[in-house]
Each structure stands twice: as C-alpha cells, then as structure tokens.
Amino acid sequence: MSQKTSNDLQDLQYFGEYGGVNPSISDSSTYTFISAKTMFDTFEGNTEGCYLYSRHSSPSNLYLGEALAALEGTESANVTASGMGAITAVILQLCNAGDHIISSRTIYGGTYAFMKNFLIKFGIKTTFLDITDLDAVAKAITPKTKMIYCESVSNPLLEVADISALSRISKKNELPLVVDNTFSPLTVTPAKLGADIIIHSLTKFINGTSDCVAGVVCGTTEFCLSLKDVNNGAGMLLGSTLDSLRAASILKNMRTLHIRMKKHSENAMFLAQNFEKDGLRVVYPGLPSHPGHLIMEDQMNPEYGYGGLVTMDVGTLENANALMELMQERKLGYLAVSLGFYKTLFSAPGTSTSSEIPLDEQEEMGLGNGLIRFSIGLDDDIQRTYSLMKKCLLDLKILDITSIKA
Ligand code: PLP
C-alpha cells in the first residue's frame, strides 16, 4: 500500500517550458484568450486546460496539487494559502446555516476556535467528543449532521483516530469523513482507509523548511472542482489562494519528504523510548504504552515510522518553560510553535497552540499545563541530542538521577 504511495509521487515527472527539470513558474495573475467565446466557456467551467485568473487556478498550483493528490491517493487536490484556508473552505462548502458537525475534541486550536466560535454566527453547531469512542460518534449523529472531522494523529495529544472504523460509521450514514493528516504525511494515508477528504497544513512536514504558510484539500475531482466554482465555491470565493512562487518552492521541498519523515520518526522513536525508560511521562504513538499504538500499527505505512511528534509532561508550566528556555540556550532547538523543521521545535500547547480551548476542557482531555510538544528534528547524532536533553532535565531537577529507572 505504502509502496504505491511513494511510487506515484516518484513517477511524477515534469518538463519546464524550456525543458527544465522543474516546471516553469507561472508568473501571472491573469491569462489571455484568443477568442471571447473560450473566455466565457472557461468562466462556466467548460474548458479543460484553460487558465483564467490565478485565484481560480494557476499552472504552478496545479502541479503542486497533482503531487499532493499522488501523495494522498486521491483523484485531485486544491492547494490553499494556509492550512486554515483549506479547513475553513471545506467546512463552509459542506455545511449550510443550521447544520451540525461532529469533531474530535483534540484538534488544532485554530480549527477548534473556528468551529466553536466562528461557525456559530451561521448557526452551525459542533459536537466535540472523544473520537476514539466510536459509540459516542455514532450516537452524536443527527439529521442535521454534515461531516465527521478528526486529525489522524491529533494536535497536541497525539491521539490516534481509527480512520477505518470512523469511515464505516460515516459511510453508513452517508456523511463525509474529513481528516487532517498534517502530523502524519506518508505515515498514514487516510484515503486508503476510507476517508473522503484529506487536509494538510503544508506549512509543516510537507514543506519542511518553516519558510511559508500553505495548505491543501485532497479529494474527488468533483469536490475539488466544486471548491473552485466561480458561483458558489468556498475556495474561489473566500480567496485563500496560494502564490505560484510558493507553490513551486513547496513542490521542490516535497521531493525529500520521504527521507525526512523516516529521519524525523527514527529520532522521535529513539528519544521517546529512552525518556520513557528514564521514567518521564512520554506520549508517542510508537510506544506500546500509547493507547492508540495498535490502531497506529494497523493503519500506518511502516517504513515511514510513527512520525516526528512526541509529548512529554514535566508536571508544571514553570518546569516546561524552564526546560524549553534551557534547551534553546543549549542549541537543542527552538522555543517555537509549528512542526516539521530540521531543528527540533518545542512549545507548551496549553499556553500556545491550544490556548483557544478553555482550561476546563483542556483538563478534561488530559492537556496539562506541564505538557511540552516536541517536533523532533533531523539531528544526525540523536544519541548526543538525548544526552544533552537529559543533562537539561537533570540540571533543572525535573529528572532526578536517583529516580532514573535502571
Ligand atoms: N492543522 C493542524 C493539525 C495544525 O497543527 C495547524 C497549524 O498548526 C493547522 C491545521 C493550520 O495550518 P496553518 O497554520 O498552515 O493555517
């Protein structure tokens, strides 16, 4: 299964305008027509291969979309100016005023805020629930429900969604299953497990260089075209368009995604295993102690590992802040939000990327304020990184030498 995913990507081959090994970048916001009739037909969506205006589509964005559709095994993909640009367009395309959404309660804080605070303006209500409780998901469906939403591996708790089981529920009820796969590109292929629409923040692993913000919606050609419809497509009308120059640079960075994912996963596994042995409260889908470990094993493409994200609960916000500051001082990474960079990035989600979630709800879902989310980097010598991180933990007395398990 995974073999095919990487082969589809590998087989994509483009020739630039002058035979270049990279496709030429479309440096135009608008396109000419020889005949006025063709322009009219293009507006009506009847002309294949004609470009009209770059908010609608551009050659560079289509090339990147093609690569992402190959990555996710979907018919088509539309790139957007951010991950949130993809999420908001999908939701507003699927839901009308007064509709209902079922969503995992552990999702990116921005998505949570959009569903909870913004959609309410249109009377669209969201039931947030424990997505691993399949009975609760089935019971929450009402005649007004228009979608089931989750993240394959959730931000920030790294909860693993059982995509095949959720897809059986969604198909039985004729609802689309929308999966944000930002944390696990290549590792998980949600479409092959039955998901209908797959979203990424390209800002993270897929681009991998923390130099831009972008997103994508992968799905059927019919759905992707509906998003671009000039009369009622949420993608076209909300205007979250990716710039062609950025689309071209993300496509080039994507060429090394498979190598990077393997290294992120290898390093994350090494640190997770060792810090767990040291007696720290570590969460990583690759550890047998993770409640979703077996589901992950069942649905992952094993050669890419369990992903680059690890969380560690160091008890208090003071400990978390002191550790992150010291790690940055000792050049072990950056105290920064986001993920998928070559250096390790760390932040305390309770006071940053998940701060939109009220404190009582954070507590209920197990998001303590001593929790640190690490996006493990591509360090060549991870044994050295482990020793240096451990020294930080010992110096701050978060880890006590006498309590380290043998
Ligand atoms: N989805 C997930 C899982 C994220 O972590 C983020 C951002 O952190 C987003 C979506 C939003 O992406 P962007 O910042 O590119 O809009």
Side-chain angles (χ1 to χ4, degrees), residues 295-321:
I295 295 168
M296 187 71 180
E297 291 224 306
D298 211 38
Q299 66 185 13
M300 71 192 281
N301 301 314
E303 65 271 37
Y304 301 108
Y306 295 85
L309 272 300
V310 176
T311 71
M312 199 189 278
D313 195 330
V314 291
T316 62
L317 184 60
E318 291 69 36
N319 277 348
N321 289 346

Side-chain angles (χ1 to χ4, degrees), residues 100-395:
H100 173 244
I101 296 169
I102 293 174
S103 171
S104 165
R105 63 184 176 176
T106 124
I107 50 171
Y108 166 58
T111 313
Y112 174 92
F114 180 71
M115 289 177 178
K116 184 162 185 195
N117 308 328
F118 199 92
L119 288 179
I120 216 72
K121 290 184 190 182
F122 310 104
I124 300 171
K125 293 202 181 109
T126 304
T127 300
F128 295 99
L129 42 69
D130 175 355
I131 207 76
T132 64
D133 183 347
L134 298 170
D135 281 345
V137 174
K139 279 193 195 128
I141 297 170
T142 75
K144 291 190 170 174
T145 308
K146 286 291 151 55
M147 61 189 272
I148 299 178
Y149 186 93
C150 67
E151 296 174 357
S152 333
V153 177
S154 79
N155 184 359
L157 295 180
L158 311 184
E159 213 168 68
V160 175
D162 186 341
I163 298 171
S164 304
L166 288 167
S167 144
R168 283 193 290 277
I169 297 173
S170 72
K171 289 203 169 33
K172 194 169 154 205
N173 293 277
E174 295 180 12
L175 294 171
L177 175 63
V178 181
V179 178
D180 179 336
N181 198 28
T182 300
F183 274 31
S184 43
L186 286 173
T187 293
V188 181
T189 315
K192 292 186 177 154
L193 301 164
D196 301 287
I197 297 166
I198 297 93
I199 292 172
H200 279 278
S201 163
L202 302 178
T203 317
K204 313 294 169 14
F205 289 105
I206 291 182
N207 185 48
T209 45
S210 291
D211 56 358
C212 74
V213 174
V216 71
V217 180
C218 305
T220 61
T221 302
E222 190 188 359
F223 184 67
C224 290
L225 283 178
S226 76
L227 284 169
K228 288 202 261 191
D229 189 285
V230 291
N231 292 305
N232 45 37
M236 178 68 180
L237 300 176
L238 294 173
S240 171
T241 309
L242 184 60
D243 182 73
S244 290
L245 286 171
R246 276 306 180 191
S249 73
I250 296 168
L251 181 61
K252 283 179 273 187
N253 289 348
M254 245 187 102
R255 303 298 185 218
T256 57
L257 180 65
H258 57 299
I259 302 168
R260 290 186 278 112
M261 284 317 293
K262 287 177 190 173
K263 190 65 179 164
H264 282 299
S265 293
E266 182 191 315
N267 285 354
M269 184 66 135
F270 183 87
L271 294 179
Q273 282 175 333
N274 281 288
F275 283 126
E276 186 175 63
K277 263 192 234 149
D278 289 338
L280 286 160
R281 281 151 63 195
V282 180
V283 172
Y284 183 61
L287 296 174
S289 58
H290 188 293
H293 178 65
L294 293 179
I295 295 168
M296 187 71 180
E297 291 224 306
D298 211 38
Q299 66 185 13
M300 71 192 281
N301 301 314
E303 65 271 37
Y304 301 108
Y306 295 85
L309 272 300
V310 176
T311 71
M312 199 189 278
D313 195 330
V314 291
T316 62
L317 184 60
E318 291 69 36
N319 277 348
N321 289 346
L323 179 63
M324 293 189 295
E325 286 168 13
L326 189 59
M327 280 183 62
Q328 179 163 260
E329 200 181 299
R330 294 184 182 175
K331 303 185 171 55
L332 285 164
Y334 295 111
L335 201 181
V337 296
S338 203
L339 38 131
F341 197 38
Y342 82 101
K343 282 286 264 190
T344 294
L345 301 178
F346 30 85
S347 55
T351 49
S352 60
T353 49
S354 296
S355 58
E356 297 91 340
I357 304 174
L359 278 179
D360 55 328
E361 288 178 37
Q362 288 191 23
E363 237 164 66
E364 202 186 309
M365 67 172 79
L367 205 180
N369 63 8
L371 189 99
I372 305 176
R373 185 189 75 186
F374 295 91
S375 165
I376 306 299
L378 301 171
D379 307 21
D380 197 14
D381 186 351
I382 197 66
Q383 173 69 58
R384 174 177 170 271
T385 303
Y386 167 62
S387 306
L388 292 172
M389 270 178 80
K390 193 157 156 180
K391 176 109 180 50
C392 293
L393 286 155
L394 288 167
D395 288 353

